[in-house]
């Protein structure tokens, strides 16, 4: 099992593009992550000042990358 205290190293992006703020819990089949980055005005996914439903895919991809790395 990887060291889950430094899960940010498991995401290929850094800074604002990391998107996730916290991994709350995880096991072999699930991950529970939190993010408030959708509220930030400097969110790199924003265009015309808004996020679109499509951007949820990127949040899911980040969580999947972390989960795979933690396993």
């Amino acid at each position: 099992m990887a060291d889950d205290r430094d899960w940010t190293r498991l995401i290929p992006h850094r800074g604002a593009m990391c998107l996730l703020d916290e991994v709350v819990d995880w096991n072999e089949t699930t991950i529970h992550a939190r993010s408030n980055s959708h509220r930030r005005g400097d969110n790199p996914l924003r265009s015309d000042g808004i996020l679109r439903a499509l951007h949820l895919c990127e949040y899911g991809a980040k969580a999947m990358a972390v989960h795979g790395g933690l396993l």
Side-chain angles (χ1 to χ4, degrees):
M1 175 168 37
D3 182 1
D4 58 345
R5 291 171 289 174
D6 188 23
W7 58 267
T8 58
R9 66 183 170 72
L10 302 172
I11 295 178
H13 299 103
R14 298 288 174 253
M17 198 55 197
C18 180
L19 299 180
L20 301 178
D21 294 322
E22 175 183 15
V23 171
V24 178
D25 192 25
W26 65 278
N27 61 37
E28 287 185 17
T29 60
T30 61
I31 186 167
H32 178 183
R34 288 189 184 142
S35 177
N36 285 314
S37 67
H38 62 288
R39 296 179 176 161
R40 293 193 322 247
D42 67 342
N43 185 305
L45 299 177
R46 285 188 185 278
S47 62
D48 299 324
I50 61 172
L51 291 173
R52 292 171 171 74
L54 175 64
H55 295 125
L56 289 171
C57 295
E58 186 65 25
Y59 283 84
K62 302 289 189 206
M64 288 170 44
V66 171
H67 190 241
L70 290 170
L71 290 176

